[in-house]
């Protein structure tokens, strides 16, 4: 063992050779009012403030993710519930509550560079895109654009303080405060890629309820999405290229369901179709795992 190492085999630090009292005296002799210490204290305050804001955004993102998932679960009931309009209205109320959470995120990011906090809010935004695009597809059988999503994320509020200070002021002169949060193209693409998994589940649920038209409609729609992602390929962000494999799996399951309906649809009772598709979907998963 080297003479510079202690009994535990670790190298001693240089200041370990100094008495404890001497180190304490040196610490007390630091001039806390010096310009250097003032600068470091301001840096500490700035970093603590930024860290606290980051944690608040992570919590808001988690709430957005949870509420968006609940909206997706609710929308899946539309395949078996005859009151489809009622479910859509309830889902709209849930999405509006999610948008209020996103409004809090927008308020937190006033005067900040959003991309410095993007990792904190990205999971929630992706889940929101998935939920709102799923609802939009059920309503219109088309894909919502990122421009339309961002249009829904513009929030305004009247300045009530001016009204209380000046009771005789003209109500038309109230100042409006505006907040907005833009979903990035990457978050939009990742949310749409996750949407394909929900559409695959919608296909299986529809067949289980005797609806043999929806799977063919979903198959065509998923094929268009897959073709669009194929144009991006490996040139896009890494997260998008990873989602492409899952998207391909979802498309294969839906196309397999359509093939079975076309070839053997008249042979298999409607109440057994969902079980047949579930079994074949598991076989596809195993084959993909071996390849």
């Amino acid at each position: 063992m080297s003479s510079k190492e202690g009994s535990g085999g670790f190298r001693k630090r240089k200041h370990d050779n100094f008495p404890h009292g001497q180190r304490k005296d040196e610490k007390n002799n630091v001039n806390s009012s010096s310009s250097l210490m003032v600068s470091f204290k301001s840096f500490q305050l700035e970093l603590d403030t930024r860290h606290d804001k980051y944690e608040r955004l992570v919590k808001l993102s988690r709430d957005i993710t949870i509420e968006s998932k609940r909206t997706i679960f609710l929308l899946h009931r539309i395949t078996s519930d005859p009151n489809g309009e009622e479910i859509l209205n309830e889902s709209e109320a849930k999405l509006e509550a999610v948008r209020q959470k996103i409004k809090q995120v927008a308020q937190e990011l006033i005067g900040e560079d959003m991309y410095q906090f993007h990792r904190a809010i990205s999971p929630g935004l992706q889940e929101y895109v998935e939920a709102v695009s799923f609802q939009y597809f059920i309503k219109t059988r088309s894909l919502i654009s990122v421009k339309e999503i961002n249009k829904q994320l513009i929030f305004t509020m009247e300045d009530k303080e001016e009204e209380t200070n000046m009771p005789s002021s003209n109500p038309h002169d109230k100042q409006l405060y505006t907040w907005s949060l833009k979903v990035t193209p990457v978050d939009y693409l990742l949310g749409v890629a996750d949407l394909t998994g929900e559409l695959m589940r919608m296909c299986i649920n529809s067949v289980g309820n005797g609806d043999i038209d929806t799977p063919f409609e979903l198959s065509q729609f998923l094929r268009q999405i897959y073709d669009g992602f194929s144009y991006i390929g490996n040139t896009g962000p890494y997260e998008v290229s990873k989602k492409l494999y899952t998207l391909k799996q979802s498309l294969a399951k839906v196309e397999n369901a359509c093939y079975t309906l076309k070839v053997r649809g008249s042979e298999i009772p409607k109440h057994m179709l969902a079980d047949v598709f579930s079994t074949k979907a598991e076989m596809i998963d195993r084959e993909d795992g071996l390849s």
Side-chain angles (χ1 to χ4, degrees):
M1 183 184 299
S2 173
S3 60
K4 294 183 180 180
E5 297 179 357
S7 58
F10 295 102
R11 189 182 298 273
K12 285 187 176 182
R13 293 174 295 184
K14 291 183 179 181
H15 60 71
D16 287 343
N17 296 323
F18 294 94
H20 179 70
Q22 183 176 348
R23 295 201 306 270
K24 188 175 181 181
D25 291 341
E26 290 176 356
K27 185 177 180 181
N28 292 334
N29 291 334
V30 174
N31 186 5
S32 60
S33 61
S34 66
S35 59
L36 183 63
M37 291 303 297
V38 170
S39 298
F40 271 95
K41 284 182 179 179
S42 66
F43 297 153
Q44 179 188 10
L45 180 61
E46 182 180 348
L47 289 173
D48 288 344
T49 303
R50 189 171 295 275
H51 178 74
D52 292 341
K53 179 171 291 192
Y54 192 94
E55 291 300 318
R56 290 196 299 270
L57 290 172
V58 168
K59 291 177 182 177
L60 285 171
S61 178
R62 192 179 301 124
D63 293 340
I64 292 170
T65 300
I66 292 171
E67 293 303 320
S68 298
K69 283 183 181 295
R70 288 174 178 169
T71 305
I72 292 171
F73 295 152
L74 172 67
L75 288 169
H76 274 298
R77 287 170 40 196
I78 205 165
T79 57
S80 58
D81 197 318
N83 298 323
E85 196 65 31
E86 194 174 307
I87 291 177
L88 287 175
N89 292 335
E90 188 178 348
S91 68
E92 185 57 41
K94 284 183 174 293
L95 286 176
E96 184 58 37
V98 174
R99 283 190 277 270
Q100 291 304 311
K101 292 286 185 183
I102 297 178
K103 178 182 177 181
Q104 295 180 39
V105 173
Q107 290 172 336
E108 288 281 357
L109 294 177
I110 293 176
E112 300 282 358
D113 182 3
M114 190 195 80
Y115 289 95
Q116 291 187 356
F117 300 93
H118 183 248
R119 290 187 64 183
I121 62 176
S122 180
L125 292 179
Q126 291 176 35
E127 201 68 35
Y128 170 74
V129 170
E130 182 181 354
V132 76
S133 58
F134 190 32
Q135 184 206 52
Y136 190 85
F137 174 80
I138 293 173
K139 284 182 176 181
T140 65
R141 287 303 193 261
S142 60
L143 181 64
I144 190 171
S145 65
V146 65
K147 184 178 179 180
E148 184 66 28
I149 291 177
N150 287 331
K151 192 185 298 183
Q152 298 173 359
L153 300 181
I154 299 175
F155 313 99
T156 57
M157 187 180 72
E158 292 181 355
D159 184 7
K160 296 183 179 180
E161 184 179 353
E162 187 176 325
E163 182 182 356
T164 55
N165 293 338
M166 303 174 62
S168 60
S169 62
N170 188 347
H172 296 289
D173 295 336
K174 294 177 184 177
Q175 186 177 0
L176 292 178
Y177 288 103
T178 303
W179 299 276
S180 64
L181 184 68
K182 288 188 176 181
V183 173
T184 65
V186 174
D187 289 334
Y188 173 74
L189 289 174
L190 293 175
V192 171
D194 290 334
L195 167 68
T196 59
E198 304 305 329
L199 294 180
M200 182 269 295
R201 294 180 185 91
M202 183 182 180
C203 170
I204 303 301
N205 293 338
S206 299
V207 173
N209 292 306
D211 182 3
I212 59 175
D213 296 325
T214 299
F216 293 95
E217 193 175 4
L218 290 171
S219 175
Q220 185 178 4
F221 182 72
L222 286 173
R223 171 56 64 180
Q224 291 174 351
I225 292 181
Y226 180 75
D227 291 343
F229 272 88
S230 298
Y231 283 112
I232 299 174
N234 295 326
T235 61
Y238 173 69
E239 296 88 349
V240 175
S241 59
K242 265 186 17 178
K243 296 278 187 179
L244 192 60
Y245 175 74
T246 307
L247 196 162
K248 186 177 180 181
Q249 279 187 315
S250 300
L251 176 61
K253 292 174 185 178
V254 173
E255 288 183 338
N256 182 72
C258 294
Y259 174 80
T260 306
L261 280 173
K262 199 73 174 177
V263 176
R264 301 183 57 200
S266 59
E267 303 174 5
I268 305 173
K270 287 186 177 180
H271 67 278
M272 295 179 60
L273 283 173
D275 295 333
V276 173
F277 293 148
S278 298
T279 303
K280 293 200 171 189
E282 291 175 2
M283 291 174 61
I284 293 174
D285 289 339
R286 286 197 295 269
E287 289 174 2
D288 289 337
L290 292 174
S291 60

